[in-house]
Amino acid sequence: MVSERARAKLEQIAARKTRPPKKDKARSLAQLRERWKQSAILTSGVPADGISPSSSTPVPRPP
């Protein structure tokens, strides 16, 4: 019988061996924020000046 610890380690090894390789290399935080902003603009329909990466809600536009 295999211990819990050994089984967990074997599962980690199996996951690493069967996982497909990563497609992209690591990106900087600035690149990630820019990609997030572009994605938010496309999916939400909110104007670009109404999206702020520092808050989770859109910033209201002045009249």
Side-chain angles (χ1 to χ4, degrees):
M1 179 164 225
V2 179
S3 71
E4 282 288 319
R5 191 174 184 183
R7 191 184 76 196
K9 187 65 175 176
L10 289 171
E11 288 174 356
Q12 284 179 339
I13 294 169
R16 256 187 263 125
K17 287 185 176 183
T18 59
R19 192 172 294 142
K22 293 184 177 182
K23 296 177 185 175
D24 298 328
K25 298 208 177 210
R27 287 182 226 106
S28 70
L29 184 56
Q31 290 172 324
L32 292 172
R33 285 181 175 150
E34 184 60 32
R35 187 171 180 183
W36 168 83
K37 186 174 180 178
Q38 290 172 355
S39 174
I41 292 166
L42 292 173
T43 57
S44 69
V46 174
D49 58 349
I51 296 177
S52 170
S54 62
S55 67
S56 61
T57 58
V59 177
R61 294 181 67 191

PDB file of all heavy atoms in Angstrom, residues 14-54:
ATOM      1  N   ALA A  14       3.328  12.551 -12.480  1.00  0.00           N
ATOM      2  CA  ALA A  14       2.525  12.147 -13.634  1.00  0.00           C
ATOM      3  C   ALA A  14       1.898  13.365 -14.311  1.00  0.00           C
ATOM      4  O   ALA A  14       1.871  13.449 -15.545  1.00  0.00           O
ATOM      5  CB  ALA A  14       1.443  11.173 -13.197  1.00  0.00           C
ATOM      6  N   ALA A  15       1.425  14.316 -13.516  1.00  0.00           N
ATOM      7  CA  ALA A  15       0.818  15.526 -14.091  1.00  0.00           C
ATOM      8  C   ALA A  15       1.848  16.316 -14.886  1.00  0.00           C
ATOM      9  O   ALA A  15       1.563  16.820 -15.971  1.00  0.00           O
ATOM     10  CB  ALA A  15       0.224  16.387 -12.978  1.00  0.00           C
ATOM     11  N   ARG A  16       3.058  16.451 -14.355  1.00  0.00           N
ATOM     12  CA  ARG A  16       4.111  17.186 -15.062  1.00  0.00           C
ATOM     13  C   ARG A  16       4.477  16.510 -16.384  1.00  0.00           C
ATOM     14  O   ARG A  16       4.736  17.172 -17.378  1.00  0.00           O
ATOM     15  CB  ARG A  16       5.361  17.290 -14.184  1.00  0.00           C
ATOM     16  CG  ARG A  16       5.522  18.645 -13.585  1.00  0.00           C
ATOM     17  CD  ARG A  16       6.836  18.799 -12.859  1.00  0.00           C
ATOM     18  NE  ARG A  16       6.586  18.563 -11.434  1.00  0.00           N
ATOM     19  CZ  ARG A  16       7.213  17.677 -10.672  1.00  0.00           C
ATOM     20  NH1 ARG A  16       8.164  16.944 -11.162  1.00  0.00           N
ATOM     21  NH2 ARG A  16       6.898  17.539  -9.414  1.00  0.00           N
ATOM     22  N   LYS A  17       4.507  15.191 -16.379  1.00  0.00           N
ATOM     23  CA  LYS A  17       4.899  14.453 -17.592  1.00  0.00           C
ATOM     24  C   LYS A  17       3.812  14.478 -18.657  1.00  0.00           C
ATOM     25  O   LYS A  17       4.118  14.389 -19.842  1.00  0.00           O
ATOM     26  CB  LYS A  17       5.241  13.006 -17.234  1.00  0.00           C
ATOM     27  CG  LYS A  17       6.546  12.880 -16.503  1.00  0.00           C
ATOM     28  CD  LYS A  17       6.896  11.426 -16.272  1.00  0.00           C
ATOM     29  CE  LYS A  17       8.261  11.305 -15.618  1.00  0.00           C
ATOM     30  NZ  LYS A  17       8.661   9.911 -15.451  1.00  0.00           N
ATOM     31  N   THR A  18       2.557  14.567 -18.258  1.00  0.00           N
ATOM     32  CA  THR A  18       1.466  14.506 -19.241  1.00  0.00           C
ATOM     33  C   THR A  18       0.939  15.879 -19.634  1.00  0.00           C
ATOM     34  O   THR A  18       0.181  15.989 -20.588  1.00  0.00           O
ATOM     35  CB  THR A  18       0.293  13.668 -18.683  1.00  0.00           C
ATOM     36  OG1 THR A  18      -0.160  14.261 -17.475  1.00  0.00           O
ATOM     37  CG2 THR A  18       0.721  12.247 -18.433  1.00  0.00           C
ATOM     38  N   ARG A  19       1.316  16.922 -18.926  1.00  0.00           N
ATOM     39  CA  ARG A  19       0.849  18.277 -19.221  1.00  0.00           C
ATOM     40  C   ARG A  19       1.502  18.784 -20.506  1.00  0.00           C
ATOM     41  O   ARG A  19       2.703  18.625 -20.696  1.00  0.00           O
ATOM     42  CB  ARG A  19       1.209  19.186 -18.053  1.00  0.00           C
ATOM     43  CG  ARG A  19       0.548  20.526 -18.089  1.00  0.00           C
ATOM     44  CD  ARG A  19       0.801  21.296 -16.815  1.00  0.00           C
ATOM     45  NE  ARG A  19       0.160  20.618 -15.689  1.00  0.00           N
ATOM     46  CZ  ARG A  19       0.665  20.518 -14.479  1.00  0.00           C
ATOM     47  NH1 ARG A  19       1.820  21.058 -14.199  1.00  0.00           N
ATOM     48  NH2 ARG A  19       0.005  19.899 -13.525  1.00  0.00           N
ATOM     49  N   PRO A  20       0.729  19.406 -21.398  1.00  0.00           N
ATOM     50  CA  PRO A  20       1.334  19.944 -22.619  1.00  0.00           C
ATOM     51  C   PRO A  20       2.263  21.117 -22.286  1.00  0.00           C
ATOM     52  O   PRO A  20       2.064  21.805 -21.291  1.00  0.00           O
ATOM     53  CB  PRO A  20       0.150  20.413 -23.455  1.00  0.00           C
ATOM     54  CG  PRO A  20      -0.968  20.581 -22.495  1.00  0.00           C
ATOM     55  CD  PRO A  20      -0.710  19.636 -21.354  1.00  0.00           C
ATOM     56  N   PRO A  21       3.269  21.357 -23.129  1.00  0.00           N
ATOM     57  CA  PRO A  21       4.181  22.479 -22.860  1.00  0.00           C
ATOM     58  C   PRO A  21       3.450  23.814 -22.965  1.00  0.00           C
ATOM     59  O   PRO A  21       2.466  23.949 -23.695  1.00  0.00           O
ATOM     60  CB  PRO A  21       5.242  22.347 -23.949  1.00  0.00           C
ATOM     61  CG  PRO A  21       4.627  21.517 -25.007  1.00  0.00           C
ATOM     62  CD  PRO A  21       3.601  20.644 -24.340  1.00  0.00           C
ATOM     63  N   LYS A  22       3.942  24.795 -22.234  1.00  0.00           N
ATOM     64  CA  LYS A  22       3.342  26.125 -22.271  1.00  0.00           C
ATOM     65  C   LYS A  22       3.574  26.749 -23.639  1.00  0.00           C
ATOM     66  O   LYS A  22       4.633  26.596 -24.237  1.00  0.00           O
ATOM     67  CB  LYS A  22       3.929  27.010 -21.182  1.00  0.00           C
ATOM     68  CG  LYS A  22       3.553  26.560 -19.796  1.00  0.00           C
ATOM     69  CD  LYS A  22       4.079  27.511 -18.758  1.00  0.00           C
ATOM     70  CE  LYS A  22       3.635  27.071 -17.382  1.00  0.00           C
ATOM     71  NZ  LYS A  22       4.074  27.980 -16.341  1.00  0.00           N
ATOM     72  N   LYS A  23       2.577  27.478 -24.118  1.00  0.00           N
ATOM     73  CA  LYS A  23       2.662  28.100 -25.435  1.00  0.00           C
ATOM     74  C   LYS A  23       3.456  29.395 -25.402  1.00  0.00           C
ATOM     75  O   LYS A  23       4.183  29.707 -26.326  1.00  0.00           O
ATOM     76  CB  LYS A  23       1.267  28.372 -25.972  1.00  0.00           C
ATOM     77  CG  LYS A  23       0.457  27.121 -26.206  1.00  0.00           C
ATOM     78  CD  LYS A  23      -0.931  27.457 -26.664  1.00  0.00           C
ATOM     79  CE  LYS A  23      -1.756  26.195 -26.780  1.00  0.00           C
ATOM     80  NZ  LYS A  23      -3.129  26.466 -27.107  1.00  0.00           N
ATOM     81  N   ASP A  24       3.256  30.177 -24.352  1.00  0.00           N
ATOM     82  CA  ASP A  24       3.880  31.492 -24.278  1.00  0.00           C
ATOM     83  C   ASP A  24       4.925  31.536 -23.167  1.00  0.00           C
ATOM     84  O   ASP A  24       4.851  30.805 -22.196  1.00  0.00           O
ATOM     85  CB  ASP A  24       2.830  32.560 -23.984  1.00  0.00           C
ATOM     86  CG  ASP A  24       1.777  32.648 -25.074  1.00  0.00           C
ATOM     87  OD1 ASP A  24       2.124  32.389 -26.233  1.00  0.00           O
ATOM     88  OD2 ASP A  24       0.626  32.977 -24.758  1.00  0.00           O
ATOM     89  N   LYS A  25       5.848  32.440 -23.341  1.00  0.00           N
ATOM     90  CA  LYS A  25       6.820  32.684 -22.276  1.00  0.00           C
ATOM     91  C   LYS A  25       6.209  33.643 -21.263  1.00  0.00           C
ATOM     92  O   LYS A  25       5.194  34.270 -21.522  1.00  0.00           O
ATOM     93  CB  LYS A  25       8.084  33.292 -22.868  1.00  0.00           C
ATOM     94  CG  LYS A  25       8.744  32.362 -23.862  1.00  0.00           C
ATOM     95  CD  LYS A  25      10.202  32.596 -23.924  1.00  0.00           C
ATOM     96  CE  LYS A  25      10.768  31.566 -24.892  1.00  0.00           C
ATOM     97  NZ  LYS A  25      12.069  31.189 -24.603  1.00  0.00           N
ATOM     98  N   ALA A  26       6.831  33.761 -20.119  1.00  0.00           N
ATOM     99  CA  ALA A  26       6.330  34.651 -19.074  1.00  0.00           C
ATOM    100  C   ALA A  26       6.346  36.097 -19.565  1.00  0.00           C
ATOM    101  O   ALA A  26       7.266  36.524 -20.254  1.00  0.00           O
ATOM    102  CB  ALA A  26       7.187  34.511 -17.823  1.00  0.00           C
ATOM    103  N   ARG A  27       5.281  36.830 -19.217  1.00  0.00           N
ATOM    104  CA  ARG A  27       5.178  38.227 -19.617  1.00  0.00           C
ATOM    105  C   ARG A  27       5.340  39.128 -18.399  1.00  0.00           C
ATOM    106  O   ARG A  27       5.075  38.725 -17.276  1.00  0.00           O
ATOM    107  CB  ARG A  27       3.806  38.488 -20.236  1.00  0.00           C
ATOM    108  CG  ARG A  27       3.675  37.885 -21.606  1.00  0.00           C
ATOM    109  CD  ARG A  27       2.315  38.222 -22.178  1.00  0.00           C
ATOM    110  NE  ARG A  27       1.771  37.000 -22.734  1.00  0.00           N
ATOM    111  CZ  ARG A  27       0.800  36.289 -22.189  1.00  0.00           C
ATOM    112  NH1 ARG A  27       0.208  36.680 -21.113  1.00  0.00           N
ATOM    113  NH2 ARG A  27       0.396  35.179 -22.746  1.00  0.00           N
ATOM    114  N   SER A  28       5.740  40.363 -18.657  1.00  0.00           N
ATOM    115  CA  SER A  28       5.882  41.325 -17.567  1.00  0.00           C
ATOM    116  C   SER A  28       4.497  41.737 -17.076  1.00  0.00           C
ATOM    117  O   SER A  28       3.492  41.565 -17.766  1.00  0.00           O
ATOM    118  CB  SER A  28       6.647  42.563 -18.040  1.00  0.00           C
ATOM    119  OG  SER A  28       5.846  43.314 -18.937  1.00  0.00           O
ATOM    120  N   LEU A  29       4.454  42.312 -15.889  1.00  0.00           N
ATOM    121  CA  LEU A  29       3.190  42.759 -15.322  1.00  0.00           C
ATOM    122  C   LEU A  29       2.545  43.825 -16.207  1.00  0.00           C
ATOM    123  O   LEU A  29       1.324  43.830 -16.399  1.00  0.00           O
ATOM    124  CB  LEU A  29       3.413  43.292 -13.906  1.00  0.00           C
ATOM    125  CG  LEU A  29       2.169  43.703 -13.143  1.00  0.00           C
ATOM    126  CD1 LEU A  29       1.165  42.553 -13.056  1.00  0.00           C
ATOM    127  CD2 LEU A  29       2.547  44.171 -11.759  1.00  0.00           C
ATOM    128  N   ALA A  30       3.347  44.706 -16.778  1.00  0.00           N
ATOM    129  CA  ALA A  30       2.812  45.748 -17.665  1.00  0.00           C
ATOM    130  C   ALA A  30       2.140  45.126 -18.890  1.00  0.00           C
ATOM    131  O   ALA A  30       1.064  45.568 -19.314  1.00  0.00           O
ATOM    132  CB  ALA A  30       3.920  46.700 -18.096  1.00  0.00           C
ATOM    133  N   GLN A  31       2.748  44.082 -19.451  1.00  0.00           N
ATOM    134  CA  GLN A  31       2.161  43.405 -20.609  1.00  0.00           C
ATOM    135  C   GLN A  31       0.860  42.708 -20.224  1.00  0.00           C
ATOM    136  O   GLN A  31      -0.113  42.734 -20.979  1.00  0.00           O
ATOM    137  CB  GLN A  31       3.136  42.390 -21.185  1.00  0.00           C
ATOM    138  CG  GLN A  31       4.328  43.009 -21.870  1.00  0.00           C
ATOM    139  CD  GLN A  31       5.363  41.969 -22.249  1.00  0.00           C
ATOM    140  OE1 GLN A  31       5.579  40.997 -21.528  1.00  0.00           O
ATOM    141  NE2 GLN A  31       6.010  42.177 -23.376  1.00  0.00           N
ATOM    142  N   LEU A  32       0.844  42.075 -19.048  1.00  0.00           N
ATOM    143  CA  LEU A  32      -0.370  41.412 -18.593  1.00  0.00           C
ATOM    144  C   LEU A  32      -1.501  42.406 -18.384  1.00  0.00           C
ATOM    145  O   LEU A  32      -2.647  42.149 -18.757  1.00  0.00           O
ATOM    146  CB  LEU A  32      -0.099  40.646 -17.292  1.00  0.00           C
ATOM    147  CG  LEU A  32       0.811  39.437 -17.417  1.00  0.00           C
ATOM    148  CD1 LEU A  32       1.159  38.901 -16.043  1.00  0.00           C
ATOM    149  CD2 LEU A  32       0.159  38.360 -18.262  1.00  0.00           C
ATOM    150  N   ARG A  33      -1.184  43.557 -17.804  1.00  0.00           N
ATOM    151  CA  ARG A  33      -2.215  44.584 -17.591  1.00  0.00           C
ATOM    152  C   ARG A  33      -2.766  45.104 -18.916  1.00  0.00           C
ATOM    153  O   ARG A  33      -3.972  45.320 -19.054  1.00  0.00           O
ATOM    154  CB  ARG A  33      -1.642  45.742 -16.789  1.00  0.00           C
ATOM    155  CG  ARG A  33      -1.480  45.420 -15.338  1.00  0.00           C
ATOM    156  CD  ARG A  33      -0.940  46.608 -14.580  1.00  0.00           C
ATOM    157  NE  ARG A  33      -0.899  46.330 -13.161  1.00  0.00           N
ATOM    158  CZ  ARG A  33      -0.026  46.853 -12.328  1.00  0.00           C
ATOM    159  NH1 ARG A  33       0.866  47.714 -12.774  1.00  0.00           N
ATOM    160  NH2 ARG A  33      -0.040  46.543 -11.063  1.00  0.00           N
ATOM    161  N   GLU A  34      -1.899  45.320 -19.891  1.00  0.00           N
ATOM    162  CA  GLU A  34      -2.336  45.812 -21.194  1.00  0.00           C
ATOM    163  C   GLU A  34      -3.242  44.781 -21.870  1.00  0.00           C
ATOM    164  O   GLU A  34      -4.283  45.128 -22.434  1.00  0.00           O
ATOM    165  CB  GLU A  34      -1.123  46.125 -22.082  1.00  0.00           C
ATOM    166  CG  GLU A  34      -1.485  46.732 -23.411  1.00  0.00           C
ATOM    167  CD  GLU A  34      -2.237  48.051 -23.310  1.00  0.00           C
ATOM    168  OE1 GLU A  34      -1.995  48.816 -22.353  1.00  0.00           O
ATOM    169  OE2 GLU A  34      -3.089  48.314 -24.174  1.00  0.00           O
ATOM    170  N   ARG A  35      -2.872  43.518 -21.786  1.00  0.00           N
ATOM    171  CA  ARG A  35      -3.691  42.464 -22.383  1.00  0.00           C
ATOM    172  C   ARG A  35      -5.049  42.387 -21.675  1.00  0.00           C
ATOM    173  O   ARG A  35      -6.080  42.204 -22.310  1.00  0.00           O
ATOM    174  CB  ARG A  35      -2.957  41.135 -22.285  1.00  0.00           C
ATOM    175  CG  ARG A  35      -3.646  40.028 -23.008  1.00  0.00           C
ATOM    176  CD  ARG A  35      -2.787  38.807 -23.071  1.00  0.00           C
ATOM    177  NE  ARG A  35      -3.483  37.750 -23.778  1.00  0.00           N
ATOM    178  CZ  ARG A  35      -3.012  36.552 -23.941  1.00  0.00           C
ATOM    179  NH1 ARG A  35      -1.833  36.239 -23.493  1.00  0.00           N
ATOM    180  NH2 ARG A  35      -3.704  35.648 -24.579  1.00  0.00           N
ATOM    181  N   TRP A  36      -5.039  42.523 -20.319  1.00  0.00           N
ATOM    182  CA  TRP A  36      -6.289  42.504 -19.567  1.00  0.00           C
ATOM    183  C   TRP A  36      -7.193  43.655 -19.999  1.00  0.00           C
ATOM    184  O   TRP A  36      -8.385  43.476 -20.204  1.00  0.00           O
ATOM    185  CB  TRP A  36      -5.991  42.621 -18.066  1.00  0.00           C
ATOM    186  CG  TRP A  36      -7.223  42.885 -17.270  1.00  0.00           C
ATOM    187  CD1 TRP A  36      -8.117  41.954 -16.835  1.00  0.00           C
ATOM    188  CD2 TRP A  36      -7.736  44.155 -16.863  1.00  0.00           C
ATOM    189  NE1 TRP A  36      -9.140  42.577 -16.161  1.00  0.00           N
ATOM    190  CE2 TRP A  36      -8.935  43.934 -16.169  1.00  0.00           C
ATOM    191  CE3 TRP A  36      -7.289  45.459 -17.011  1.00  0.00           C
ATOM    192  CZ2 TRP A  36      -9.684  44.964 -15.630  1.00  0.00           C
ATOM    193  CZ3 TRP A  36      -8.051  46.479 -16.468  1.00  0.00           C
ATOM    194  CH2 TRP A  36      -9.220  46.229 -15.793  1.00  0.00           C
ATOM    195  N   LYS A  37      -6.599  44.834 -20.158  1.00  0.00           N
ATOM    196  CA  LYS A  37      -7.378  46.008 -20.536  1.00  0.00           C
ATOM    197  C   LYS A  37      -7.993  45.823 -21.924  1.00  0.00           C
ATOM    198  O   LYS A  37      -9.179  46.103 -22.127  1.00  0.00           O
ATOM    199  CB  LYS A  37      -6.501  47.257 -20.509  1.00  0.00           C
ATOM    200  CG  LYS A  37      -7.263  48.541 -20.755  1.00  0.00           C
ATOM    201  CD  LYS A  37      -6.381  49.748 -20.569  1.00  0.00           C
ATOM    202  CE  LYS A  37      -7.144  51.037 -20.814  1.00  0.00           C
ATOM    203  NZ  LYS A  37      -6.326  52.216 -20.595  1.00  0.00           N
ATOM    204  N   GLN A  38      -7.213  45.335 -22.872  1.00  0.00           N
ATOM    205  CA  GLN A  38      -7.728  45.110 -24.221  1.00  0.00           C
ATOM    206  C   GLN A  38      -8.861  44.092 -24.201  1.00  0.00           C
ATOM    207  O   GLN A  38      -9.890  44.275 -24.853  1.00  0.00           O
ATOM    208  CB  GLN A  38      -6.612  44.632 -25.142  1.00  0.00           C
ATOM    209  CG  GLN A  38      -5.591  45.684 -25.455  1.00  0.00           C
ATOM    210  CD  GLN A  38      -4.395  45.131 -26.204  1.00  0.00           C
ATOM    211  OE1 GLN A  38      -4.282  43.925 -26.415  1.00  0.00           O
ATOM    212  NE2 GLN A  38      -3.484  46.000 -26.579  1.00  0.00           N
ATOM    213  N   SER A  39      -8.702  43.034 -23.427  1.00  0.00           N
ATOM    214  CA  SER A  39      -9.731  42.010 -23.323  1.00  0.00           C
ATOM    215  C   SER A  39     -10.996  42.577 -22.690  1.00  0.00           C
ATOM    216  O   SER A  39     -12.112  42.292 -23.136  1.00  0.00           O
ATOM    217  CB  SER A  39      -9.208  40.837 -22.496  1.00  0.00           C
ATOM    218  OG  SER A  39     -10.221  39.901 -22.262  1.00  0.00           O
ATOM    219  N   ALA A  40     -10.836  43.390 -21.652  1.00  0.00           N
ATOM    220  CA  ALA A  40     -11.986  43.993 -20.979  1.00  0.00           C
ATOM    221  C   ALA A  40     -12.741  44.924 -21.916  1.00  0.00           C
ATOM    222  O   ALA A  40     -13.978  44.943 -21.923  1.00  0.00           O
ATOM    223  CB  ALA A  40     -11.524  44.740 -19.734  1.00  0.00           C
ATOM    224  N   ILE A  41     -12.028  45.685 -22.722  1.00  0.00           N
ATOM    225  CA  ILE A  41     -12.662  46.601 -23.673  1.00  0.00           C
ATOM    226  C   ILE A  41     -13.478  45.815 -24.685  1.00  0.00           C
ATOM    227  O   ILE A  41     -14.631  46.150 -24.972  1.00  0.00           O
ATOM    228  CB  ILE A  41     -11.606  47.478 -24.375  1.00  0.00           C
ATOM    229  CG1 ILE A  41     -10.986  48.453 -23.375  1.00  0.00           C
ATOM    230  CG2 ILE A  41     -12.205  48.219 -25.560  1.00  0.00           C
ATOM    231  CD1 ILE A  41      -9.728  49.129 -23.870  1.00  0.00           C
ATOM    232  N   LEU A  42     -12.896  44.745 -25.204  1.00  0.00           N
ATOM    233  CA  LEU A  42     -13.585  43.956 -26.226  1.00  0.00           C
ATOM    234  C   LEU A  42     -14.806  43.224 -25.683  1.00  0.00           C
ATOM    235  O   LEU A  42     -15.824  43.135 -26.358  1.00  0.00           O
ATOM    236  CB  LEU A  42     -12.617  42.943 -26.842  1.00  0.00           C
ATOM    237  CG  LEU A  42     -11.492  43.530 -27.694  1.00  0.00           C
ATOM    238  CD1 LEU A  42     -10.508  42.444 -28.105  1.00  0.00           C
ATOM    239  CD2 LEU A  42     -12.056  44.210 -28.927  1.00  0.00           C
ATOM    240  N   THR A  43     -14.718  42.705 -24.477  1.00  0.00           N
ATOM    241  CA  THR A  43     -15.811  41.884 -23.958  1.00  0.00           C
ATOM    242  C   THR A  43     -16.892  42.669 -23.236  1.00  0.00           C
ATOM    243  O   THR A  43     -18.022  42.225 -23.170  1.00  0.00           O
ATOM    244  CB  THR A  43     -15.284  40.797 -23.005  1.00  0.00           C
ATOM    245  OG1 THR A  43     -14.569  41.419 -21.943  1.00  0.00           O
ATOM    246  CG2 THR A  43     -14.385  39.824 -23.735  1.00  0.00           C
ATOM    247  N   SER A  44     -16.565  43.850 -22.706  1.00  0.00           N
ATOM    248  CA  SER A  44     -17.550  44.581 -21.912  1.00  0.00           C
ATOM    249  C   SER A  44     -18.309  45.635 -22.695  1.00  0.00           C
ATOM    250  O   SER A  44     -19.406  46.024 -22.309  1.00  0.00           O
ATOM    251  CB  SER A  44     -16.868  45.250 -20.722  1.00  0.00           C
ATOM    252  OG  SER A  44     -16.044  46.300 -21.166  1.00  0.00           O
ATOM    253  N   GLY A  45     -17.704  46.154 -23.736  1.00  0.00           N
ATOM    254  CA  GLY A  45     -18.339  47.218 -24.485  1.00  0.00           C
ATOM    255  C   GLY A  45     -18.191  48.577 -23.825  1.00  0.00           C
ATOM    256  O   GLY A  45     -18.742  49.556 -24.288  1.00  0.00           O
ATOM    257  N   VAL A  46     -17.422  48.655 -22.736  1.00  0.00           N
ATOM    258  CA  VAL A  46     -17.179  49.918 -22.040  1.00  0.00           C
ATOM    259  C   VAL A  46     -16.066  50.655 -22.779  1.00  0.00           C
ATOM    260  O   VAL A  46     -15.089  50.042 -23.191  1.00  0.00           O
ATOM    261  CB  VAL A  46     -16.763  49.649 -20.575  1.00  0.00           C
ATOM    262  CG1 VAL A  46     -16.374  50.931 -19.868  1.00  0.00           C
ATOM    263  CG2 VAL A  46     -17.879  48.956 -19.830  1.00  0.00           C
ATOM    264  N   PRO A  47     -16.173  51.975 -22.966  1.00  0.00           N
ATOM    265  CA  PRO A  47     -15.106  52.719 -23.637  1.00  0.00           C
ATOM    266  C   PRO A  47     -13.766  52.555 -22.913  1.00  0.00           C
ATOM    267  O   PRO A  47     -13.725  52.383 -21.704  1.00  0.00           O
ATOM    268  CB  PRO A  47     -15.572  54.169 -23.573  1.00  0.00           C
ATOM    269  CG  PRO A  47     -17.026  54.104 -23.325  1.00  0.00           C
ATOM    270  CD  PRO A  47     -17.292  52.827 -22.593  1.00  0.00           C
ATOM    271  N   ALA A  48     -12.692  52.644 -23.666  1.00  0.00           N
ATOM    272  CA  ALA A  48     -11.354  52.419 -23.124  1.00  0.00           C
ATOM    273  C   ALA A  48     -11.012  53.349 -21.975  1.00  0.00           C
ATOM    274  O   ALA A  48     -10.345  52.948 -21.028  1.00  0.00           O
ATOM    275  CB  ALA A  48     -10.311  52.566 -24.236  1.00  0.00           C
ATOM    276  N   ASP A  49     -11.493  54.599 -22.013  1.00  0.00           N
ATOM    277  CA  ASP A  49     -11.158  55.528 -20.931  1.00  0.00           C
ATOM    278  C   ASP A  49     -11.971  55.248 -19.670  1.00  0.00           C
ATOM    279  O   ASP A  49     -11.728  55.836 -18.629  1.00  0.00           O
ATOM    280  CB  ASP A  49     -11.337  56.973 -21.364  1.00  0.00           C
ATOM    281  CG  ASP A  49     -12.750  57.279 -21.830  1.00  0.00           C
ATOM    282  OD1 ASP A  49     -13.545  56.333 -22.012  1.00  0.00           O
ATOM    283  OD2 ASP A  49     -13.059  58.462 -22.013  1.00  0.00           O
ATOM    284  N   GLY A  50     -12.917  54.324 -19.729  1.00  0.00           N
ATOM    285  CA  GLY A  50     -13.719  53.979 -18.566  1.00  0.00           C
ATOM    286  C   GLY A  50     -13.215  52.754 -17.831  1.00  0.00           C
ATOM    287  O   GLY A  50     -13.804  52.319 -16.860  1.00  0.00           O
ATOM    288  N   ILE A  51     -12.107  52.189 -18.289  1.00  0.00           N
ATOM    289  CA  ILE A  51     -11.559  50.992 -17.665  1.00  0.00           C
ATOM    290  C   ILE A  51     -10.247  51.341 -16.993  1.00  0.00           C
ATOM    291  O   ILE A  51      -9.341  51.882 -17.610  1.00  0.00           O
ATOM    292  CB  ILE A  51     -11.352  49.869 -18.694  1.00  0.00           C
ATOM    293  CG1 ILE A  51     -12.701  49.455 -19.261  1.00  0.00           C
ATOM    294  CG2 ILE A  51     -10.639  48.683 -18.063  1.00  0.00           C
ATOM    295  CD1 ILE A  51     -12.625  48.407 -20.318  1.00  0.00           C
ATOM    296  N   SER A  52     -10.159  51.017 -15.723  1.00  0.00           N
ATOM    297  CA  SER A  52      -8.959  51.284 -14.948  1.00  0.00           C
ATOM    298  C   SER A  52      -8.433  49.969 -14.384  1.00  0.00           C
ATOM    299  O   SER A  52      -9.196  49.231 -13.766  1.00  0.00           O
ATOM    300  CB  SER A  52      -9.281  52.237 -13.802  1.00  0.00           C
ATOM    301  OG  SER A  52      -8.188  52.320 -12.932  1.00  0.00           O
ATOM    302  N   PRO A  53      -7.153  49.652 -14.573  1.00  0.00           N
ATOM    303  CA  PRO A  53      -6.635  48.383 -14.054  1.00  0.00           C
ATOM    304  C   PRO A  53      -6.556  48.343 -12.539  1.00  0.00           C
ATOM    305  O   PRO A  53      -6.407  47.302 -11.955  1.00  0.00           O
ATOM    306  CB  PRO A  53      -5.237  48.292 -14.660  1.00  0.00           C
ATOM    307  CG  PRO A  53      -4.869  49.676 -15.010  1.00  0.00           C
ATOM    308  CD  PRO A  53      -6.153  50.399 -15.287  1.00  0.00           C
ATOM    309  N   SER A  54      -6.697  49.478 -11.860  1.00  0.00           N
ATOM    310  CA  SER A  54      -6.579  49.495 -10.402  1.00  0.00           C
ATOM    311  C   SER A  54      -7.913  49.280  -9.696  1.00  0.00           C
ATOM    312  O   SER A  54      -7.951  49.179  -8.490  1.00  0.00           O
ATOM    313  CB  SER A  54      -5.969  50.815  -9.950  1.00  0.00           C
ATOM    314  OG  SER A  54      -6.804  51.876 -10.306  1.00  0.00           O
TER     315      SER A  54
END
